Amino acid sequence: MSLKEHIQVTAVDLFSRNGIKRVSMDDVARKANVSKRTLYDFFKDKEALLIGVLNKMREPLSEYFESLEKGSYTALEMILLFNEKLMEKPIWLCEDFLEDIKRFPLAFRLMIDGKRQFLDKIIELLKRGEKESVFMSDINYDIISLLAHRQFSKCNSLDISEVLAKYTPEEVHNTVFYIFLRGICTDAGRDIVDKFVTKKIYRGYNIR
């Protein structure tokens, strides 16, 4: 891992736990064990660091999704496996991060563009899953994907997050995620979800 990548990984950890506002460039430099001058050699300001962090997070996700596309997975299995990958570094579940990033227009735009691309991929998978008989037919999946996105966003709203404060963001996300997914599955699809969840409990992630 290069020094620049080390700094980015450190920033991901800090931002995901504390949001952006409460993390200074000094905090990042201190945690990464580099001088502030070295940090600024790589990133001219916090927004540049945020952009670097978002791009760094996107790379392994894109590579992982491409590897799934090359496999023999159903659309449902791809969604389940990709969700597991997302949850390895769930920075996007941090309410403070999502609120704070709005103060950085370039980074915020990059995040929104990434979400839009992600939503397009999900729509493709939902429609493909319908043809594979793992998702129910006669459903407008464009509407379903938009409603799902809005539902997950509501989990991060102030009113809801206070009620759910005793649970981890990951637990809240996965509860909503699995209930939603099972709700649009056929019997064959629900069998796949149940099998995946059972193996997940016992730390077995190979769903084949």
Side-chain angles (χ1 to χ4, degrees):
M1 181 185 297
S2 69
L3 182 56
K4 182 177 182 179
E5 290 173 328
H6 170 65
I7 292 171
Q8 289 172 322
V9 170
T10 300
V12 168
D13 179 61
L14 289 173
F15 289 148
S16 63
R17 287 188 290 108
N18 306 296
I20 302 169
K21 186 177 180 180
R22 292 199 295 270
V23 176
S24 68
M25 295 293 272
D26 284 332
D27 293 329
V28 176
R30 190 180 307 110
K31 183 71 174 180
N33 198 27
V34 299
S35 68
K36 195 171 179 179
R37 179 176 178 178
T38 298
L39 177 59
Y40 279 106
D41 282 342
F42 289 114
F43 307 100
K44 65 179 181 178
D45 53 30
K46 186 182 279 190
E47 182 157 42
L49 177 58
L50 280 170
I51 290 172
V53 163
L54 291 172
N55 284 327
K56 182 63 179 175
M57 292 177 62
R58 182 180 297 181
E59 289 175 9
L61 292 176
S62 296
E63 291 173 359
Y64 185 68
F65 190 86
E66 289 174 4
S67 72
L68 293 178
E69 288 183 311
K70 294 176 182 177
S72 57
Y73 301 107
T74 65
L76 174 56
E77 290 168 338
M78 287 180 64
I79 291 174
L80 288 165
L81 288 168
F82 192 71
N83 180 68
E84 289 293 337
K85 186 68 174 179
L86 278 175
M87 298 306 291
E88 290 178 4
K89 288 187 175 68
I91 190 171
W92 53 281
L93 290 182
C94 176
E95 179 187 342
D96 290 337
F97 179 88
L98 295 174
E99 187 62 32
D100 294 346
I101 199 171
K102 295 175 183 178
R103 299 172 55 244
F104 302 89
L106 295 179
F108 182 62
R109 173 50 53 189
L110 180 63
M111 187 183 75
I112 293 300
D113 288 343
K115 281 189 172 184
R116 185 175 295 111
Q117 292 174 20
F118 174 73
L119 186 60
D120 289 342
K121 287 289 186 182
I122 293 300
I123 292 174
E124 290 177 11
L125 287 174
L126 291 174
K127 292 179 178 179
R128 176 181 144 188
E130 180 183 5
K131 295 178 181 178
E132 294 171 342
S133 298
V134 293
F135 293 137
M136 293 188 294
S137 59
D138 301 324
I139 291 179
N140 187 323
Y141 282 102
D142 292 307
I143 295 176
I144 288 294
S145 61
L146 290 171
L147 289 176
H149 176 72
R150 177 57 65 98
Q151 182 63 45
F152 287 122
S153 297
K154 280 186 177 181
C155 290
N156 289 318
S157 69
L158 182 59
D159 292 340
I160 297 297
S161 62
E162 288 179 348
V163 174
L164 300 174
K166 62 181 178 180
Y167 306 106
T168 66
E170 293 86 351
E171 187 175 2
V172 174
H173 166 80
N174 279 329
T175 298
V176 176
F177 172 76
Y178 286 117
I179 290 175
F180 165 79
L181 204 57
R182 290 187 92 258
I184 63 172
C185 280
T186 60
D187 289 341
R190 280 190 287 273
D191 286 342
I192 293 174
V193 174
D194 292 344
K195 178 181 177 182
F196 181 86
V197 172
T198 299
K199 288 197 172 185
K200 177 179 180 294
I201 292 173
Y202 291 100
R203 310 305 297 173
Y205 288 82
N206 181 11
I207 59 180
R208 290 300 185 182

